Amino acid sequence: FHGYHRRVRYSSMEFKTYWKYHLVDFEDVDTIAKKLDLDSCFKDEGYYESLCSNYFEDEELRMDIIDAKNLTIKTVRKLRRFLYGTNRIGVICDHHDFLRLLFASMGTIDTGCDPKGGWLGYEWVPDRETRQEFMKEQIPIFRGKFDPEGDPGESEGDYYECSVTWLAYHIAKAADDLDPITVRYKPPRKEDAPGWYEGYEEEHGSGADQAALFEMYSNLLRHGQRQG
C-alpha cells in the first residue's frame, strides 16, 4: 500500500510518502485472518515490509530523506516469484515494467506526482555541464526522456527538461535498467534544500538534534501529565 502526507506552510512543509507490501501466505489461517482485519494490519508496523520512502526530517530545511535500500533486484525477484511463480525476466514483462505495474497498483502511475496530493519529492535537474555532455553524446530524447527512437537535442537547452525523480531513478536502478540520462542522477544535497542558508545548522541544529529535543519535550509533557 501507499501512504502520503503533505502540509504546506509559509516557510515549512510536512512531507512523508512511502510504499509497503506484505506477501500473504494463503495456507496460513492466522495470516489470512489478520489480512482481513485491516485495522490490525495498519497498526502493526512489523506486518508490512518497506519498498521505499521519502520524508522531511526538518520541516523548515525541507531536505529529502530518501530510503530505497529495499528497492533492489533481490526484492523484485522475490515479488515476481510470489506473483508469477517464477522470477525470470522474460515472463509477462521485464523488471522495469513489472515495477511500474507494481507502483501503479498502489496508485502511483507517475513517479513524480501522486494522484492524492501531488508532488512526491526530490527531482534531479541536469546542470549546464551535464546538458552539454548530453549534447556532445547526441543522446536521443522524446519529451524530456531518453528514447532510442527519438532525436538528439539541437542545443544543450533541449535537454533542460531531462530531469529524473528520485523514485524513477531507484526503480530503474532496481530493474538494472539505467539509461544514459538516469545514470547521471545525483542524490539531494543539504546545501540545495529550499530552507538552507549559511549558518543554518548553527541556528537550528541538525535534524537529529531537533528530533531528540522534540522527543525529550514530549516525554517531559507526558511525565508532567502523570504527575498531575
Side-chain angles (χ1 to χ4, degrees):
F1 75 94
H2 169 43
Y4 185 90
H5 170 74
R6 183 175 179 232
R7 179 177 294 172
V8 181
R9 299 187 179 89
Y10 177 71
S11 60
S12 65
M13 184 192 303
E14 296 176 14
F15 172 66
K16 182 177 184 180
T17 185
Y18 53 87
W19 293 261
K20 298 183 179 183
Y21 71 94
H22 177 75
L23 305 182
V24 179
D25 183 353
F26 291 100
E27 295 182 358
D28 185 341
V29 176
D30 292 336
T31 299
I32 296 173
K34 191 170 186 180
K35 181 65 178 176
L36 294 174
D37 182 2
L38 294 179
D39 288 338
S40 174
C41 291
F42 285 117
K43 290 176 182 177
D44 186 354
E45 289 291 329
Y47 186 72
Y48 288 93
E49 294 186 60
S50 173
L51 265 178
C52 58
S53 63
N54 186 14
Y55 76 102
F56 288 164
E57 182 180 64
D58 186 329
E59 296 174 10
E60 292 185 17
L61 181 61
R62 288 160 282 166
M63 177 186 173
D64 298 65
I65 307 296
I66 297 167
D67 181 0
K69 63 179 178 292
N70 290 332
L71 188 53
T72 63
I73 191 65
K74 182 179 179 180
T75 301
V76 172
R77 288 171 176 157
K78 178 173 71 172
L79 293 172
R80 287 184 70 110
R81 188 183 301 113
F82 179 81
L83 292 171
Y84 302 148
T86 177
N87 59 21
R88 286 189 302 157
I89 193 170
V91 177
I92 309 298
C93 59
D94 62 29
H95 290 337
H96 205 157
D97 284 340
F98 170 76
L99 284 172
R100 289 193 185 103
L101 289 169
L102 182 69
F103 278 86
S105 73
M106 293 182 278
T108 307
I109 57 176
D110 185 330
T111 58
C113 183
D114 184 90
K116 297 177 184 177
W119 184 75
L120 286 176
Y122 175 72
E123 185 170 0
W124 170 76
V125 178
D127 57 22
R128 186 175 183 182
E129 182 180 350
T130 304
R131 297 196 302 271
Q132 289 174 343
E133 291 175 5
F134 291 162
M135 182 67 189
K136 184 177 180 180
E137 295 172 20
Q138 289 290 280
I139 295 175
I141 56 173
F142 179 69
R143 293 183 178 176
K145 305 295 181 185
F146 170 72
D147 186 341
E149 298 181 0
D151 297 316
E154 296 181 359
S155 68
E156 59 94 4
D158 292 337
Y159 292 99
Y160 185 80
E161 295 183 357
C162 294
S163 58
V164 181
T165 66
W166 70 271
L167 185 56
Y169 167 75
H170 284 287
I171 286 176
K173 183 181 178 184
D176 193 22
D177 192 28
L178 293 171
D179 61 45
I181 291 177
T182 54
V183 75
R184 253 72 164 225
Y185 168 92
K186 291 182 175 62
R189 303 187 313 158
K190 183 182 295 184
E191 294 79 5
D192 297 328
W196 172 263
Y197 56 84
E198 195 67 37
Y200 181 90
E201 290 189 339
E202 285 76 4
E203 290 187 22
H204 295 78
S206 67
D209 291 339
Q210 292 183 39
L213 286 171
F214 179 78
E215 183 177 359
M216 182 178 70
Y217 179 68
S218 299
N219 289 335
L220 286 171
L221 284 177
R222 287 195 292 271
H223 181 72
Q225 289 172 352
R226 285 198 297 269
Q227 291 286 340

